[in-house]
Amino acid sequence: MSEFDPRIVRVSIEIDGSLNVFEGLWVTASGKKYANPKQNECEVRIANLRRESADYLLKETSPFNQAKRRKRIIVDAGRESFGVFRLFEGDITECSISQPPDSILTIKAKTGQFDKGNVVSSYQAATTPLSTIAKGVADTLGLSLVFEATDRNVANYSFTGGALRQVDRLSDVGGVNAFVDDGRLIVKNYNVPLREVSHVLSAKSGLVGLPETTEQGVKVRFFLVPSVKLGGQLTVESAINPAVNGDYTIYQLAFEVSNRDVPFYYIAECKRKGAK
């Protein structure tokens, strides 16, 4: 990456019902996203946030606050040459602040955390297409639906419990990969990458270090690019370790970004495409 292509790290935080965008402050963010019902997670550290904004978040996330309200956080990152893209979207779970004089606010968040406490009941007709059930789950969670699984009929579907647990239920009854990623409910066949979501990774396209073989397939570190998505395809081309070359499906995607420090990476863990 060119040193003349400045980074952008933008954080949007819901404060008192309004989404406030912060850019230009010192920011670092790290997190992990999973292509399964496990909640994605993120930690953001931001310096010199306005005092009233920091106070609001600290009060709202206090364990002594009984009036729980949804507090969203969105992290976008990119470079001036291609703009920003979504890294994480979720609900703030806790906040803490550093000792003076630094005034660094640490914010932790998880995908769908607010929906965990909402109890819902859903019943379908005797035989219902999986795509119809998935659409109902997405609507309940306020998400858009990306359905790329083989559709099938599900008999006597019913669910009662925390709204977010519907994603687990959907995975079980459909035998599919179902997960939430940045405002979308994604449903796809097991270890089949999302359509039209792929990236060729080599030393020329941002690969950092050597690909690491794992029990599942491969683990790679590379510079942030907008074409890489959780559940998408990654084609590895390593000149030094050609044994790992091939097509993979990303099942776990971690990120480490900062607008003023060294990190600006994805760390992807992948399975060989089509492996059982």
Side-chain angles (χ1 to χ4, degrees), residues 1-2 79 82 199-211 221-225 227 235-240 245:
M1 293 290 180
S2 171
R79 293 181 181 270
F82 54 76
H199 179 73
V200 178
L201 181 63
S202 66
K204 293 181 179 179
S205 63
L207 178 64
V208 177
L210 290 176
R221 177 188 293 263
F222 52 98
F223 289 111
L224 251 63
V225 285
S227 55
T235 300
V236 177
E237 295 181 352
S238 172
I240 299 177
N245 291 352

Side-chain angles (χ1 to χ4, degrees), residues 207 209-215 217-221 241 244 268 270:
L207 178 64
L210 290 176
E212 176 186 339
T213 56
T214 66
E215 290 183 0
V218 70
K219 180 178 181 180
V220 286
R221 177 188 293 263
N241 187 10
V244 303
C270 318

Side-chain angles (χ1 to χ4, degrees), residues 28-39:
T28 67
S30 60
K32 265 183 191 177
K33 305 164 82 172
Y34 308 92
N36 59 49
K38 186 175 181 180
Q39 292 171 272

Side-chain angles (χ1 to χ4, degrees), residues 8-162:
I8 303 171
V9 180
R10 178 184 301 160
V11 178
S12 304
I13 303 173
E14 187 171 2
I15 297 175
D16 203 16
S18 299
L19 204 60
N20 292 253
V21 180
F22 300 96
E23 189 174 338
L25 301 176
W26 177 87
V27 175
T28 67
S30 60
K32 265 183 191 177
K33 305 164 82 172
Y34 308 92
N36 59 49
K38 186 175 181 180
Q39 292 171 272
N40 299 341
E41 55 202 21
C42 179
E43 179 176 297
V44 175
R45 300 176 71 229
I46 183 168
N48 300 317
L49 198 65
R50 291 195 305 267
R51 181 61 184 266
E52 58 269 25
S53 299
D55 286 348
Y56 173 83
L57 291 170
L58 290 167
K59 290 175 182 177
E60 283 292 311
T61 57
S62 167
F64 305 108
N65 178 24
Q66 299 302 314
K68 300 297 182 183
R69 291 185 286 183
R70 185 167 219 159
K71 297 163 289 294
R72 289 185 300 147
I73 185 168
I74 297 170
V75 181
D76 297 311
R79 293 181 181 270
E80 285 191 359
S81 62
F82 54 76
V84 297
F85 56 95
R86 187 63 37 89
L87 269 186
F88 178 85
E89 180 177 337
D91 300 323
I92 297 172
T93 58
E94 57 182 286
C95 294
S96 60
I97 196 165
S98 67
Q99 295 286 338
D102 292 332
S103 187
I104 297 175
L105 191 70
T106 299
I107 303 170
K108 294 184 179 181
K110 289 186 176 182
T111 299
Q113 183 70 15
F114 188 79
D115 292 310
K116 286 182 71 175
N118 294 333
V119 177
V120 299
S121 294
S122 176
Y123 302 92
Q124 297 289 349
T127 304
T128 306
L130 181 64
S131 57
T132 300
I133 297 172
K135 181 63 167 63
V137 172
D139 290 344
T140 301
L141 296 173
L143 305 171
S144 61
L145 175 64
V146 177
F147 189 89
E148 296 187 5
T150 302
D151 210 356
R152 66 196 70 180
N153 288 327
V154 177
N156 302 315
Y157 175 84
S158 65
F159 174 85
T160 301

Side-chain angles (χ1 to χ4, degrees), residues 189-193 233 247-249 271-276:
N189 291 329
Y190 176 78
N191 202 19
V192 175
Q233 178 172 302
D247 296 333
Y248 295 85
T249 303
K271 293 181 181 178
R272 182 75 75 167
K273 181 180 175 181
K276 300 299 183 182

